[in-house]
């Protein structure tokens, strides 16, 4: 290996990296990411599908493009640090959190802009105390209580979600208390989402918004085009943003690469409070998801079963030649047992005995299902939401810890009031269902007897009896539902048979329930003091259940999202570094692969390729130290020359021609001390070969030859002089990839594996990075590969050249 200015080093290398698998893919790969905890790799293809594979390439699941997603382009993947949730972003700006067990979509977020990159980081176990010393937060009582929740011990148990929800989301539906899969989080983790136009959003545990940055607000001169990389330090103090902006107002293809450093004292100093607040957000969000699915199931349980009967009654009313309303005809039939010929024909030929019987069963089943959902699901989740919102209000009253984060007692109280109004409306719906069901049963039984008598059929004695109570029920039903409709001019009568369905529509109620005879309501109306009491939930008589549900969602979102705005105001962009310029129009589609990694609690490393791949060099950027990390950066430029000859291919007896210059295809951090590289070489015989190698990052750090760059420098980093590096730097492991023209790769230091994609992006090769290959196995493997060499050569001819 050699570093800029021509120093060449050829350390002795062995044949590392044992090949595990080589597989073809059904579509071109655009994104891939190894799980940090399990031997799983997620791949997104050009068709918008996300596929999860095990190390031995058994497919775990395939996530198709969601039905509501308009774009098929997956822009980024990110694993939660515990490996149980995968974040997938699409070009449309939607982000989905998927359960690793069954691909169930746990959470959805709408960004409004194209997501360019994502990073999901774990915070460290330590935090700075007030005196500046580092203390172990595991010894802090508050830290121990972050994720402890005993509410489920005392609150009512929630019933399993309806089957329609579990079927849609492919979940089991058993763990209704943890729909978002948040239990078991040992410490705070943050999902950082970088979007086009210079926007960045931070989500604790992947769902709770805890800050945002809009670069256009930071500097009006900036014209962000694409976010290349986002990285948050483990201590939550520094956020690095690498982006491209338009460098020429008349030519948008002329881009400039810049690196911005943002600091947040509030975010880093209130980590424990943010973790507690985000955990509470997660519980409330899970309960709201449960509530949303319950309301959706109620709407599905309600069918437009009475619309057909209403249309038939309207048709009869319009064609009825005799004077009077339809209500008059039915009341005459109820009181005297006689009716006009038109009504008899309507009952026997239009409504029919079979149709009425079917209608009665449908109404009863529908109303009973809605009642069960309210009693078993809605009331229990309402009590749990009230408990957590009340706790959240108590937290908001402690201003020094939570109020300073933007948690407002007034906004939380508004959410509690909205929840109370919603639950009052749910209880009102229960009463309406009970009274409607009783009236419908009495009306259908009476009308069924009448139709049997008109058809000269024998009426069973069990249903033929009509006492005065049943007569009153039928009369009340006719009076309430067969009323004149003044809005329908020119029509004899209007019908409102569906008193329950109006509660499940996004519009005001047409038939308002009369509560004037309610003693409690009368008492409240007679007492001005009680009307002004904050302890009483307001009753909104004209609003439907769906309308109040939307109001509840808005109130909770307002209360929970306000901290994101306040914390975002403390995320200040302090430094801006110019990295490169691409003034030529033909460079508009240049690719600038970057990889970032956080070492320790605060030190961030970024690897950047300064030109279209394959690149002649790469840059390693880092912060100089704790004090200067907001105003300066350090960088080092690396170039690769002769890596050796036969040492790279010990499986063959003949030596391969040495290459004097290697180009970089891809670079990725393997762990805190190692940088993985995918190199391209063209030897003297004109063969295009690929090399997978490991570079000692710790050896680079010890050189002390990083060049400092201040934010005030006007020259770009690429224009800086680069000094030589001494002979202490070396490639620790390396392997030439036989019969393979590589394109990209993904590595995992925690799982000690890598996945290299061919240049056609439709074939992958898996390597064990910590095992030395057996020569005998490699020889047999080489013989097999030789049989497909001609096929691979033909395939390579069709691929887009990476060296052009």
């Amino acid at each position: 290996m050699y570093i800029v200015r021509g120093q060449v080093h050829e350390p002795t290398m062995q044949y590392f990296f044992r090949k595990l698998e080589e597989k073809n893919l059904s579509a071109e790969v655009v994104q891939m990411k190894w799980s940090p905890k399990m031997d799983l790799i997620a791949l997104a293809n050009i068709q918008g599908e996300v596929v999860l594979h095990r190390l031995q390439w058994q497919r775990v699941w395939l996530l198709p493009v969601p039905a509501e997603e308009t774009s098929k382009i997956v822009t980024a993947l990110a694993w939660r640090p515990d490996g149980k949730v995968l974040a997938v972003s699409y070009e449309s700006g939607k982000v989905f959190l998927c359960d690793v067990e069954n691909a169930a979509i746990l959470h959805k977020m709408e960004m409004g802009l194209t997501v360019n990159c994502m990073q999901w980081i774990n915070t460290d176990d330590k935090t700075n105390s007030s005196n500046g010393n580092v203390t172990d937060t595991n010894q802090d009582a508050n830290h121990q209580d972050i994720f402890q929740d005993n509410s489920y011990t005392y609150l009512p148990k929630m019933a399993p979600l309806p089957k329609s929800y579990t079927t849609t989301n492919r979940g089991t539906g058993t763990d209704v208390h943890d729909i978002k899969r948040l239990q078991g989080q040992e410490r705070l983790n943050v999902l950082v989402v970088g979007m086009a136009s210079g926007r960045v959003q931070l989500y604790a545990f992947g769902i709770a918004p805890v800050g945002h940055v809009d670069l256009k607000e930071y500097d009006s001169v900036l014209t962000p085009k694409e976010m290349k990389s986002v990285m948050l330090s483990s201590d939550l103090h520094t956020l690095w943003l690498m982006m491209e902006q338009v460098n020429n107002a008349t030519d948008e293809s002329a881009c400039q690469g810049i690196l911005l450093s943002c600091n947040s004292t509030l975010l880093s100093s209130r980590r424990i409070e943010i973790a507690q607040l985000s955990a509470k957000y997660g519980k409330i969000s899970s309960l709201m998801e449960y509530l949303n699915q319950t309301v959706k199931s109620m709407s599905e349980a309600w069918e437009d079963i009475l619309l057909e009967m209403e249309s038939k009654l309207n048709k009869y009313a319009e064609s009825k030649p005799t004077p009077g309303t339809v209500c008059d005809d039915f009341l005459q039939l109820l009181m005297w047992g006689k009716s006009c010929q038109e009504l008899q024909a309507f009952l026997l030929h239009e409504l029919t005995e079979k149709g009425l019987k079917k209608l009665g069963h449908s109404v009863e089943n529908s109303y009973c299902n809605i009642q069960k959902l309210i009693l078993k699901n809605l009331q229990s989740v309402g009590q749990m939401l009230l408990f957590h919102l009340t706790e959240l209000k108590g937290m908001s009253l402690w201003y020094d810890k939570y109020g300073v984060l933007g948690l407002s007692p007034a906004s939380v109280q508004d959410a509690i009031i909205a929840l109370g109004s919603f639950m009052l409306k749910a209880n009102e719906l229960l009463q309406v269902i009970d009274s409607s069901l009783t009236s419908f049963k009495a009306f259908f039984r009476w009308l069924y007897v009448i139709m049997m008598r008109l058809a000269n059929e024998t009426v069973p004695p069990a249903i033929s009896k009509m006492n005065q109570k049943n007569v009153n029920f039928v009369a009340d039903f006719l009076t309430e539902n067969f009323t004149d409709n003044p809005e329908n001019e020119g029509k004899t009568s209007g019908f409102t048979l569906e008193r329950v369905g109006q509660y499940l529509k996004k519009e005001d109620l047409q038939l308002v329930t009369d509560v004037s005879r309610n003693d409690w309501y009368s008492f409240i109306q007679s007492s001005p003091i009680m009307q002004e009491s904050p302890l009483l939930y307001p009753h909104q008589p004209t609003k439907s259940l769906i309308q109040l549900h939307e109001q509840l969602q808005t109130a909770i979102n307002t209360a929970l999202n306000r901290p994101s705005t306040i914390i975002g105001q403390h995320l200040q962009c302090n430094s801006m570094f110019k990295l490169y310029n691409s003034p030529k129009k033909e460079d508009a589609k240049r690719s600038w692969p970057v990889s970032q990694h956080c070492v320790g609690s605060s030190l961030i490393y970024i690897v950047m390729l300064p030109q279209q791949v394959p690149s002649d060099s790469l840059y390693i950027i880092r912060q100089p130290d704790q004090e200067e990390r907001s105003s300066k950066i350090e960088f080092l430029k690396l170039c690769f020359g002769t890596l050796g000859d036969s040492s790279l291919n010990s499986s063959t007896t003949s030596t391969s021609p040495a290459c004097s210059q290697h180009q970089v295809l891809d670079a990725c951090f393997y762990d805190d001390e190692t940088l993985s590289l995918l190199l391209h070489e063209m030897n003297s015989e004109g063969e295009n070969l690929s090399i997978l190698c490991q570079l000692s990052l710790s050896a680079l750090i010890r050189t002390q030859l990083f060049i400092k760059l201040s934010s005030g420098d006007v020259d770009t980093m690429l224009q800086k002089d680069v000094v030589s590096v001494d002979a202490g730097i070396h490639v620790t492991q390396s392997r030439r990839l036989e019969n393979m023209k590589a394109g990209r790769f993904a590595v995992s230091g925690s799982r000690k594996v890598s996945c290299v994609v061919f240049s056609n992006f439709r074939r992958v090769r898996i390597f064990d990075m910590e095992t030395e290959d057996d020569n005998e196995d490699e020889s047999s493997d080489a013989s097999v590969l030789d049989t497909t060499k001609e096929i691979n050569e033909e395939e390579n001819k069709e691929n887009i050249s990476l060296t052009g």
Side-chain angles (χ1 to χ4, degrees), residues 30-31 44-45 48 50 63 66 69 71-78 86-98 109 111 113-119 191-195:
V30 294
Q31 300 287 338
N45 59 35
V50 179
L63 178 69
E69 181 55 50
S71 173
K72 292 185 178 181
I73 301 177
V74 178
T75 57
L77 301 172
L86 175 67
V88 182
S89 66
Y90 292 87
E91 191 179 35
S92 62
K94 294 186 178 68
V95 177
F96 297 86
L97 303 187
C98 305
M109 294 179 288
M111 299 299 167
L113 294 171
T114 299
V115 176
N116 299 135
C117 52
M118 293 190 298
Q119 187 78 10
L191 174 64
V192 188
V193 181
M195 292 162 275

Side-chain angles (χ1 to χ4, degrees), residues 338-357:
K338 296 182 180 180
S339 62
C340 60
Q341 295 295 328
E342 292 83 0
L343 180 60
Q344 293 183 19
F346 168 76
L347 295 177
L348 293 177
H349 304 294
E350 292 291 335
L351 193 58
T352 72
E353 177 185 334
K354 183 178 179 180
L356 182 66
K357 192 173 183 181

Side-chain angles (χ1 to χ4, degrees), residues 232-347:
L232 181 66
S233 60
S234 299
D235 61 0
L236 305 184
H237 186 276
T238 305
L239 175 66
W240 275 23
L241 312 174
M242 183 179 288
M243 55 167 287
E244 278 188 351
Q245 70 166 346
V246 178
N247 198 25
N248 190 335
T250 60
D251 185 6
E252 294 186 359
S253 64
C255 297
Q256 183 182 54
I258 59 175
L259 177 65
L260 294 103
S261 175
C262 303
N263 294 342
S264 176
T265 306
L266 182 61
L267 191 63
S268 59
S269 62
R270 298 291 179 179
R271 293 162 56 195
I272 294 177
E273 290 80 4
I274 289 175
Q276 294 171 333
L277 184 60
S278 300
K280 184 63 66 176
Y281 182 104
K283 295 183 181 71
I284 295 176
S285 178
S286 296
L287 293 174
M288 283 301 298
E289 180 71 19
Y290 182 94
L291 176 65
N292 297 341
Q293 294 302 325
T294 301
V295 173
K296 180 180 178 181
S297 299
M298 291 171 59
S299 299
E300 292 175 352
W302 170 68
E303 302 173 358
D304 295 330
I305 47 182
L306 296 175
L307 293 181
E308 182 180 357
M309 184 175 180
E310 286 187 13
S311 63
K312 290 180 179 179
L313 285 170
N314 281 317
K315 183 178 180 181
Y316 166 71
E318 293 174 357
S319 60
K320 191 168 74 73
T322 57
T325 64
V326 177
C327 182
D328 295 337
D329 293 346
F330 275 96
L331 286 175
Q332 182 181 3
L333 182 62
L334 174 64
M335 298 302 298
W336 309 106
K338 296 182 180 180
S339 62
C340 60
Q341 295 295 328
E342 292 83 0
L343 180 60
Q344 293 183 19
F346 168 76
L347 295 177

Side-chain angles (χ1 to χ4, degrees), residues 672-674 695-703:
D672 290 352
E673 299 182 351
T674 308
L695 178 65
S696 175
L697 189 61
S698 57
L700 288 172
I701 297 173
R702 290 194 297 269
T703 60

